Amino acid sequence: MAIGFRHHLQQQLHRLAVNAARPFVSWTEPWEDVDPVSFFMQGPSCGFRERFFWSDRSGGTILVGLGSVYAIETEKADSRFDDVEAGRRRWEKEIEPYGASDAPSLLFGGFSFDPYRPGADIWRGFPSGKLVAPAALLAVRNGKTTLTVTVPTDKRGRDWERVGRLLERIGAPMAAPKRLPRLVSDEEEEKERWLAAVREAIASIRAGALDKVVLARARRLAFAKTVDAAAVLQRLREQQPFAYLFAFEQDGRCFIGASPEQLVQKEGKMCRSVCLAGSVRRGAAMEEDERLGAWLRADRKNNEEHQFVVQMIGRLFSSVCETVEMPPAPQLLKLPHIQHLCTPVVGRGCRERSVLRLVEMMHPTPALGGTPRDRALEVIRALEPLDRGWYAAPIGWVDSEGNGEWAVAIRSALLAGNEAMLFAGCGIVADSDPNSEYEETNVKMAPMLSALGVMNDG
């Protein structure tokens, strides 16, 4: 069956390429019995230097892309969202989709947290904004799996060769991800400077300069051998079943994580977001866990943090939607290592055509930047001892109809060879304590530490 499928797909692509009026053609076929992580693994062996993985919190939508036949990339700060949206609209006119699915063509990518901050070398390949159209896309939606192959119609690109290699592997046994290597060093990235920054931020807030600011720190791990992104992804899938799983790899550097936080989703005229701010660790036993959850619900500092986010997203949705729905009080979102205050928001009658416009309006929320936004960003640039790159920034997908879903890229790490750089941040308000905030960042690093095999889950 695999050989017949491969020949059938190749014939369809060649036939379409000959008769196409546009530079790219795609063909979509139903394709069952394939594991998304195993598909992700095939990228390097087929010659693809780019790959991505996306799974929503329910697991109902899983997207895995190999290669890049079309890329939209910008380093501009003032116009990056406009530039990327213009590129998305150009892509609509560049591709002719065919096959068994009526799903629109899809682009995946992300943005940097702060385009005005000079980029560090570790983030090479992750510009201010980037979207890619994959050569091969595995899509799982509502229990149905499809494979979409996209190629240039001139047949001169190497994507034809790489896709052919991938198709030859269809149906063949797929190897398990490599074992994670041994940890050889664990370096704190400027702990004392970070604590000093927190103290300075608290003083500024108490003096009335701003209400809240989020400060992040990093931790650099080195391993005996190269870290296999597929192995980390597999462990994240097992250990963080209710998170957004994402991976975006460019030339051997892979930004990967398991985020609990939706930034925004758009489906037609409906849009959704989740306000997520305020957190505490999970308890070792049910009684302790419930006590910690009750404390979180009642804690003034965490509720103040949360309300900043609720107010901002509520105002924004009200400005672009006919109606906005949200519960009167936050809920608890319980994840394996941490629990959060959580308020879901639904907007109906959305007037924006593209989810990218909503991403632009919302980033960064007070949960990742602070409030007032502009003042908080100034403080982050002045005090934070790292370049966030794509950490705490939007990552997700958009289709040719402007629909899509974007998460906030937290609980994440940048893999590069035998190193992994982990990131975590926390919201600083007037009642913050520097040592408590530092411990909160340790809790937030736990999912990635566990996925990297550095600590036991739980």
Side-chain angles (χ1 to χ4, degrees), residues 50 70 157 203:
E50 304 88 3
Y70 186 89

Side-chain angles (χ1 to χ4, degrees), residues 24-336:
F24 298 89
V25 293
S26 68
W27 182 267
T28 301
E29 285 274 358
W31 190 27
E32 305 299 334
D33 302 321
V34 60
D35 176 69
V37 174
S38 296
F39 186 84
F40 179 83
M41 285 179 58
Q42 301 307 307
S45 61
C46 295
F48 293 116
R49 298 174 66 87
E50 304 88 3
R51 53 181 175 169
F52 68 76
F53 187 100
W54 168 273
S55 176
D56 66 14
R57 290 190 58 219
S58 69
T61 297
I62 304 174
L63 306 168
V64 192
L66 304 180
S68 172
V69 295
Y70 186 89
I72 306 161
E73 186 171 342
T74 181
E75 285 288 6
K76 294 180 180 178
D78 294 333
S79 62
R80 59 177 180 159
F81 289 101
D82 289 339
D83 293 346
V84 170
E85 170 64 10
R88 181 193 71 82
R89 294 187 180 187
R90 285 194 301 271
W91 175 239
E92 295 177 31
K93 302 174 183 178
E94 296 279 307
I95 184 171
E96 291 186 31
Y98 296 93
S101 173
D102 59 358
S105 58
L106 179 146
L107 297 158
F108 183 91
F111 297 87
S112 65
F113 178 81
D114 182 0
Y116 293 98
R117 184 157 188 162
D121 186 62
I122 62 167
W123 289 105
R124 186 176 65 252
F126 293 84
S128 175
K130 185 166 187 176
L131 292 178
V132 299
L137 174 68
L138 181 77
V140 182
R141 289 188 173 102
N142 301 318
K144 296 181 179 180
T145 304
T146 58
L147 173 68
T148 300
V149 175
T150 304
V151 290
T153 54
D154 62 13
K155 300 185 185 179
R156 293 192 297 269
R158 294 191 63 188
D159 292 301
W160 280 89
E161 176 185 336
R162 292 166 181 161
V163 167
R165 237 180 285 170
L166 175 67
L167 296 178
E168 289 173 1
R169 294 173 178 270
I170 292 177
M174 294 187 179
K178 298 176 184 177
R179 295 184 62 182
L180 291 169
R182 174 178 53 89
L183 179 71
V184 295
S185 70
D186 182 351
E187 298 179 8
E188 186 78 29
E189 291 287 309
E190 303 189 79
K191 175 182 176 180
E192 293 306 320
R193 183 181 167 191
W194 188 82
L195 288 170
V198 173
R199 288 191 288 270
E200 187 171 343
I202 293 171
S204 295
I205 293 167
R206 290 176 178 173
L210 71 166
D211 297 318
K212 173 190 174 181
V213 65
V214 179
L215 294 178
R217 68 181 187 91
R219 183 171 170 180
R220 186 187 301 270
L221 309 182
F223 296 84
K225 297 180 181 179
T226 298
V227 179
D228 180 28
V232 178
L233 187 59
Q234 176 79 345
R235 289 173 65 91
L236 285 174
R237 183 170 63 169
E238 295 168 354
Q239 297 170 3
Q240 305 294 327
F242 304 114
Y244 288 97
L245 302 184
F246 63 86
F248 190 80
E249 186 174 71
Q250 300 282 288
D251 293 330
R253 295 172 183 262
C254 185
F255 183 49
I256 187 169
S259 175
E261 186 166 353
Q262 181 189 67
L263 180 63
V264 65
Q265 179 186 23
K266 181 179 180 295
E267 291 181 285
K269 291 188 175 296
M270 180 179 291
C271 54
R272 299 180 179 87
S273 185
V274 174
C275 307
L276 202 70
S279 59
V280 71
R281 65 179 176 85
R282 297 297 304 272
M286 182 180 296
E287 183 178 353
E288 182 189 23
D289 194 60
E290 291 180 351
R291 177 176 58 79
L292 288 169
W295 173 86
L296 181 61
R297 283 181 180 270
D299 182 63
R300 186 178 71 174
K301 180 259 182 187
N302 280 285
N303 274 276
E304 182 182 12
E305 260 195 83
H306 189 77
Q307 283 305 310
F308 287 137
V309 183
V310 171
Q311 292 166 8
M312 177 267 194
I313 293 180
R315 285 195 303 268
L316 188 149
F317 270 37
S318 295
S319 71
V320 297
C321 298
E322 293 177 2
T323 62
V324 179
E325 304 165 8
M326 66 174 72
Q331 308 164 359
L332 283 180
L333 174 63
K334 292 180 178 283
L335 299 169

